């Protein structure tokens, strides 16, 4: 739901309960799961034909609040606010833009931190391990609920891009085009290894308590360290050099350059600790564990065949976007995806910011989207 005050859009996150005991979600892990609450936001209006919708898929610690100001926090601007809205690349005057919080998250959609109706306590680590395909199945149920008959495009970066690729394979008849950004067709050993380090940081925090920490408080140190490990991979060495150099923390206006003790932090250390604390204040540790595992399980070839053959079966127009400084999902992965999809083109963002550039380089992304949409006409 969208209202406007003095030309500032105020977006209200909405909630819907999907699936039932009679019609549960059939999960890849074998579980039959219901009910599922889904948090979502919409921008613009669905046309009478139901075919002007765009689905935006968020990344690991993202949420449904992609654009405008939050109705709960007038200072909270959506993570893709520069991309979504009237006159923007994803024009809410022309399109019905949907951003949903995926299955297993902790921002309103059912996940580890949600209350298990049978026990009255959070699911915790007992929440069934979801996959990217499970996330997409829940999104499909949401767009059915919203009356969408056709998606003009599906777009997302990182884990969002994984959802985009799965949409093209699970429900190709509903998708006119796709824009996967900085993602992969299957998670690489490099990414799996990095995620495992992050998970070990949480597992090794004694306050994790095998996932049963909700009566005691978060495993803060473990989750903070997990985020710090990830943050190093989200940026690039060039961006760290550009922003931090070898500068030290200053106390009382004086840089303590030559004191080699535990309090004499470099600026980059201080930045990483700050990012770790920020995530602890807004995210759930069990959720982090299960989402990263879902990413590691991502493989479009699983039970389908060779990845190259599966990509070749994607028939809709595709824009694959890489980031030249991305060390997490390097450009060769995006080029490989584009190489095998018959009607795909490849475009590259030039940025200092590494993987996170898809959340930062709004002008470049907007131009790529607009050019792609022009070709679709």
């Amino acid at each position: 739901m969208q209202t406007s005050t003095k030309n500032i859009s105020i977006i209200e996150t909405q909630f819907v309960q999907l699936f039932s005991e009679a019609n549960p979600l059939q999960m890849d892990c074998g579980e039959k799961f219901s009910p599922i609450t889904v948090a979502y936001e919409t921008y613009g209006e669905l046309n009478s034909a139901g075919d002007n919708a765009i689905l935006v898929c968020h990344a690991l610690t993202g949420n449904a609040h992609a654009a405008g100001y939050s109705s709960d926090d007038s200072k909270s601007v959506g993570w893709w606010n520069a991309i979504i809205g009237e006159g923007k690349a994803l024009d809410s005057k022309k399109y019905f833009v949907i951003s949903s919080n995926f299955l297993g998250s902790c921002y309103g959609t059912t996940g580890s931190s949600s209350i298990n109706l049978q026990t009255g306590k959070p699911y915790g680590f007992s929440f069934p391990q979801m996959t990217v395909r499970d996330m997409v199945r829940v999104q499909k149920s949401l767009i059915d609920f919203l009356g969408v008959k056709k998606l003009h495009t599906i777009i997302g970066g990182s884990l969002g891009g994984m959802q985009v690729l799965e949409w093209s394979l699970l429900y190709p008849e509903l998708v006119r085009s796709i824009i996967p950004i900085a993602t992969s067709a299957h998670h690489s050993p490099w990414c799996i290894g990095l995620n495992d380090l992050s998970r070990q940081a949480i597992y090794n925090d004694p306050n994790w308590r095998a996932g049963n920490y909700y009566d005691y408080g978060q495993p803060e140190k473990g989750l903070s360290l997990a985020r710090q490990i990830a943050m190093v991979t989200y940026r690039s060495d060039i961006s760290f050099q550009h922003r931090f150099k070898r500068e030290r923390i200053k106390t009382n206006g004086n840089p303590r350059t030559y004191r080699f003790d535990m309090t004499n932090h470099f600026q980059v250390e201080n930045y990483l600790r700050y990012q770790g604390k920020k995530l602890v204040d807004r995210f759930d540790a069990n959720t982090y564990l299960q989402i990263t595992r879902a990413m590691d399980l991502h493989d479009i070839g699983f039970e389908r065949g060779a990845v190259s053959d599966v990509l070749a079966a994607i028939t809709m127009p595709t824009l694959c976007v890489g980031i030249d400084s991305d060390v997490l999902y390097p450009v060769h992965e995006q080029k490989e995806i584009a190489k095998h999809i018959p009607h795909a083109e490849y475009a590259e963002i030039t940025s200092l910011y590494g993987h996170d550039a898809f959340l930062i380089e709004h002008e470049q992304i907007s131009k790529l989207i607009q050019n792609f949409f022009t070709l679709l006409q």
Side-chain angles (χ1 to χ4, degrees), residues 5 15 38 42 49 69 80 91 120 124 136 142 155 161 179 210 217 221-222 243 258 292 318-319 376:
T5 304
F15 301 88
V38 176
T42 63
Y69 289 102
W80 243 14
D91 191 346
V136 170
L142 173 65
I155 183 171
I179 309 177
K221 291 182 179 179
R243 181 171 179 178
Y258 299 108
T292 56
T318 300
L319 173 63
L376 289 178

Side-chain angles (χ1 to χ4, degrees), residues 16-37:
V16 61
Q17 191 173 95
L18 303 171
F19 302 98
S20 65
E21 187 175 348
N23 182 32
L25 172 67
Q26 303 283 336
M27 299 182 70
D28 283 336
C29 68
E31 292 278 343
K32 295 181 179 180
F33 192 82
S34 69
I36 297 171
T37 298

Side-chain angles (χ1 to χ4, degrees), residues 185-349:
H186 54 167
H187 227 209
S188 69
W190 161 252
C191 288
I192 294 170
L194 289 166
N195 276 348
D196 183 57
L197 293 178
S198 294
R199 287 191 294 267
Q200 286 188 56
I202 296 172
Y203 294 145
N204 289 332
D205 186 327
N207 289 324
W208 181 58
R209 301 172 187 268
N212 300 310
Y213 53 78
Y214 293 99
D215 291 334
Y216 306 95
Q218 285 252 58
E220 295 185 1
K221 291 182 179 179
L223 181 57
S224 173
L225 180 55
R227 180 61 164 182
Q228 292 177 58
I229 292 168
M231 284 303 302
V232 173
T233 71
Y234 294 161
R235 296 302 175 94
S236 68
D237 60 334
I238 298 171
S239 70
F240 273 41
Q241 174 64 30
H242 179 76
R243 181 171 179 178
F244 305 111
K245 301 181 176 61
R246 288 183 51 81
E247 293 180 2
R248 302 287 186 102
I249 298 295
K250 295 181 179 180
T251 304
N252 298 325
N254 297 314
R256 300 183 297 173
T257 307
Y258 299 108
R259 282 189 59 189
F260 295 98
D261 58 50
M262 292 298 292
T263 63
N264 188 19
H265 296 151
F266 288 92
Q267 289 284 7
V268 66
E269 294 175 296
N270 191 54
Y271 166 78
L272 291 173
R273 285 163 173 73
Y274 169 72
Q275 292 296 333
K277 184 176 187 309
K278 274 180 63 178
L279 189 75
V280 166
D281 291 343
R282 71 177 178 90
F283 214 74
D284 172 62
N286 282 327
T287 300
Y288 195 92
L289 291 169
Q290 293 196 298
I291 294 176
T292 56
R293 176 59 75 187
M295 295 173 73
D296 292 346
L297 292 170
H298 168 64
D299 178 1
I300 65 167
F302 180 69
E303 295 187 335
R304 289 185 178 128
V307 168
S308 58
D309 292 338
V310 175
L311 288 170
I314 297 175
T315 58
M316 64 283 296
T318 300
L319 173 63
C320 295
V321 181
I323 300 166
D324 66 346
S325 56
D326 192 344
V327 298
L328 197 57
Y329 302 101
V331 294
H332 70 80
E333 292 197 65
Q334 322 313 314
K335 291 178 179 177
E336 190 69 14
I337 294 170
K339 172 185 173 182
H340 292 290
I341 297 177
H343 304 290
E345 61 175 288
Y346 172 76
E348 193 166 297
I349 296 169

